[in-house]
């Protein structure tokens, strides 16, 4: 693997940058692997990376129906934070934020993690009470989060309109200073490059169409659009398509897939210093390094795999953006798109073994799994390699719905996160 | 925005409606006879298919009534709508 450093960039600049090699190979699938990961999003590629790096499993493949990073990893608004209410979630997301902090160095690849601060706006008395409860719970868990008055929020983010005459006035905010953004594609590419260098085969344009099992029920491999690929262990990380893939093994999960939309504006000079989220009025905004405003909208109401969604959803978000940030009223939007997010009833993920021996699943990240990419991948690799969960993901089982031990971030946040 | 054919009022824009999730999931007649597994399945497990889906809608900003629809979740195309209580029509993609 060619490594990046100031010196290597300079040296190759003299050669007109013509000596760089591709980041990863395009291998033919082998007949059999020790483990196969279904889905080359950030979570799947990261899982392969940590399987190879920390568990010495090198004879593994990641199988992707489209191109790597082309799912929700490449479609999301990249908000990273860990100020979730419950102990289980705080443990999982904080594990991830800690990995983000050193990920560029770990991968020798700039994932552009930018802890510029994530500010969540409170617009109602209920919001204030919920956010203050989060602030206290987070501090008890060693996760930074602080309460700001409306004036302090404006000081932190000058474009914010805190006029009391707003339809939903800003009454205060919760700020996680270590939260921020990262470059979505770079996360997929960095993990792919690192995994490939350790011998992991990344097989793109190859759709998994079946899961084969031995008479005793254990997994023996996957049928794909490029033929059968044997595997002792199969880890499914297929986001919005998880129900479809798990049905191939006869499993039904507590999941529903919905379109979630985002849009970006024309690029402008740096004008927006942080990330602002408003769950109450459904608006999520930051500015990318290219200068585009990156805006997240809400989910459409119905189950869909269309990666589109209705125009009234982003229009509603833009109403809120224009009211909260009047200086953006004349900005033009360049592109909008949708991704298909798999949601669980409690809005917490499932990272677990399944009733099928050798089959593992990492899903249910819904509207908010990008932030968890390295942490999720890290504990899922542990789960696959050891055939038992890491203590951090042990509560995130499928059985929690049967046993009534939900991790109810849905009730805690009341909306998308 | 989708146009949805309310069986009582006719075609109206999607924003007049609320989505009600997968259709034809009957509440068990005797819940206490169910195992925890069966009860969790009733409450939480959904088919979530890529393709034909029977689902409930309510014309909340119109006649206020519930009804069912068959929709293709790949294209979001509504194959048909029908009144609650009627059996699920046989539907094929693109029908
Ligand atoms: C518009 C939008 C905004 C978002 N904003 C945020 C945010 O600000 N912060 C945040 O934390 N999260 C956010 N999310 C959520 C986040 O994007 C996801 O939770 C996360 O990226 C999921 O990563 P993944 O690797 O599991 O999934 P993906 O990147 O979707 O990867 C799954 C892969 O599986 C592949 N696959 C599916 N079926 C098969 C098959 N049969 N065979 C082979 N391959 C298959 C897919 O092609 C896909 O590439 C957002 C999502 C969307 C859509
Ligand atoms: Zn009606």
């Amino acid at each position: 693997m060619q490594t990046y450093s100031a010196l290597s960039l300079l040296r190759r600049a003299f050669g007109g940058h013509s000596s760089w090699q591709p980041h990863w190979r395009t291998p033919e699938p082998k007949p059999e692997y020790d483990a196969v990961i279904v889905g080359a999003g950030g979570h799947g590629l990261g899982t392969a990376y940590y399987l190879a790096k920390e568990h010495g499993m090198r004879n593994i493949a990641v199988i992707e129906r489209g191109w790597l990073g082309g799912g929700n990893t490449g479609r999301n608004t990249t908000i990273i934070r860990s100020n979730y209410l419950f102990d289980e979630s705080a443990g999982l997301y904080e594990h991830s934020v800690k990995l983000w902090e050193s990920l560029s160095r770990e991968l020798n690849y700039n994932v552009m993690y930018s802890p510029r601060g994530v500010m969540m706006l409170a617009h109602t008395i209920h919001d204030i009470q919920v956010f203050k409860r989060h602030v206290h719970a987070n501090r008890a868990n060693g996760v930074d989060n602080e309460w700001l008055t409306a004036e302090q929020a404006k000081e932190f983010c000058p474009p914010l309109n805190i006029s009391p005459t707003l339809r939903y006035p800003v009454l205060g905010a919760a700020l996680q200073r270590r939260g921020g953004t990262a470059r979505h594609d770079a996360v997929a590419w960095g993990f792919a490059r690192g995994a490939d260098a350790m011998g992991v085969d990344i097989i793109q344009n190859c759709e998994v169409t079946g899961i084969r099992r031995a008479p005793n029920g254990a997994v023996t491999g996957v049928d794909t659009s490029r033929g059968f690929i044997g595997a002792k262990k199969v880890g499914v990380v297929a986001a919005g398509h998880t129900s479809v893939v798990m049905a191939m093994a006869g499993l039904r999960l507590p999941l529903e897939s919905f379109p979630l939309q985002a849009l970006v504006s024309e690029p402008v000079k740096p004008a927006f210093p942080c990330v602002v989220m408003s769950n109450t009025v459904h608006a999520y905004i930051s500015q990318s390094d290219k200068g585009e405003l990156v805006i997240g909208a809400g989910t459409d109401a119905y189950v869909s795999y269309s990666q589109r969604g209705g125009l009234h959803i982003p229009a509603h978000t833009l109403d809120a953006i224009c009211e909260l940030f009047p200086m953006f009223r004349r900005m033009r939007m360049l592109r909008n798109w949708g991704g298909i997010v798999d949601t669980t009833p409690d809005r917490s993920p499932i990272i677990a073994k399944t009733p099928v021996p050798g089959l593992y699943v990492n899903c249910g990240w819904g509207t908010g799994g990008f932030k968890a990419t390295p942490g999720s991948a890290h504990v899922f690799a542990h789960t696959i390699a050891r055939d038992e969960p890491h203590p951090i993901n042990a509560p995130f089982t499928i059985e929690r719905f049967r046993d009534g031990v939900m991790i109810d971030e849905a009730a805690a946040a009341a909306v998308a996160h | 925005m989708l146009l949805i054919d309310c069986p009582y009022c006719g075609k109206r824009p999607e924003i007049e409606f609320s989505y009600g999730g997968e259709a034809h999931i009957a509440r068990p007649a005797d819940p206490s006879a169910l195992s925890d597994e069966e009860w969790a399945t009733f409450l939480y497990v959904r088919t979530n298919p890529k393709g034909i889906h029977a689902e409930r809608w309510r014309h909340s900003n119109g006649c206020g009534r519930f009804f069912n629809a068959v929709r293709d979740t790949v294209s979001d195309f509504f194959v048909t709508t029908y009144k609650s209580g009627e059996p699920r029509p046989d539907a094929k993609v693109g029908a």
Side-chain angles (χ1 to χ4, degrees), chain A residues 262-335:
Chain A
L263 57 170
V264 292
S265 73
E266 57 190 333
V268 291
K269 287 190 174 166
F272 202 77
C274 59
V275 181
V276 173
M277 309 176 47
S278 169
N279 289 339
T280 302
V281 297
H282 294 299
Y284 309 86
I285 178 168
S286 65
Q287 187 174 19
S288 74
D289 293 305
K290 272 193 286 182
E292 301 155 326
L293 296 179
V294 179
I295 297 170
T299 43
D300 285 82
Y302 46 82
V303 164
S304 176
Y305 290 78
S306 70
Q307 292 197 138
R308 244 192 334 255
L311 190 58
H312 58 291
I313 301 285
H316 167 75
T317 287
L318 291 179
D319 287 347
I321 296 286
C322 290
E323 181 149 282
L324 288 171
F325 309 103
M327 74 181 208
F328 293 144
R329 280 189 186 165
R330 294 172 64 192
M331 293 275 287
R332 282 162 295 197
M333 295 297 133
L334 277 193
R335 298 187 301 279

Side-chain angles (χ1 to χ4, degrees), chain B residues 4-10 12 16-17 58-67:
Chain B
I4 303 179
D5 195 1
C6 170
Y8 304 97
C9 311
R12 298 294 169 83
E16 292 188 10
F17 297 84
R58 180 168 175 251
H59 194 185
S60 39
N61 291 296
C63 65
R65 297 217 228 178
F66 274 99
F67 59 92

Side-chain angles (χ1 to χ4, degrees), chain A residues 17 50 97 145 278 412:
Chain A
H17 284 299
Y50 290 115
V97 166
N145 195 11
S278 169

Side-chain angles (χ1 to χ4, degrees), chain A residues 333-347:
Chain A
M333 295 297 133
L334 277 193
R335 298 187 301 279
N336 68 322
W337 63 89
I340 300 303
V341 299
D342 46 325
T343 57
T344 57
D346 63 0
R347 297 293 186 274

Side-chain angles (χ1 to χ4, degrees), chain A residues 38-45 63-80 84 206-209 237-242 244-245 248 259-262 284 296-297 337-342 362-363 365-373 417:
Chain A
V38 182
H43 290 232
L45 292 163
I63 301 182
E64 166 58 49
R65 64 194 281 266
W67 63 95
L68 68 86
N72 293 344
T73 299
R75 294 166 183 268
N76 83 98
T77 52
T78 77
I79 299 175
I80 296 171
Y84 284 73
C206 180
E207 178 165 2
V208 170
T209 54
V237 205
H241 279 78
T242 304
V244 177
V245 177
M248 297 170 192
L260 178 65
Q261 300 184 57
Y284 309 86
W337 63 89
I340 300 303
V341 299
D342 46 325
N362 182 344
C363 67
W365 290 99
T367 56
F370 177 74
K371 60 177 71 69
T373 304
H417 49 266

Side-chain angles (χ1 to χ4, degrees), chain A residues 118-147:
Chain A
V118 173
M119 195 164 78
M120 301 170 76
L121 303 179
H123 302 276
T124 63
I125 301 295
H126 175 73
D127 283 351
I128 295 178
Q129 290 168 345
V130 168
F131 287 177
K132 285 192 171 170
R133 184 177 173 211
H134 274 72
V135 166
H136 295 310
N138 292 153
R139 281 163 57 175
N141 270 322
V143 174
D144 73 304
N145 195 11
E146 59 197 270
W147 175 254

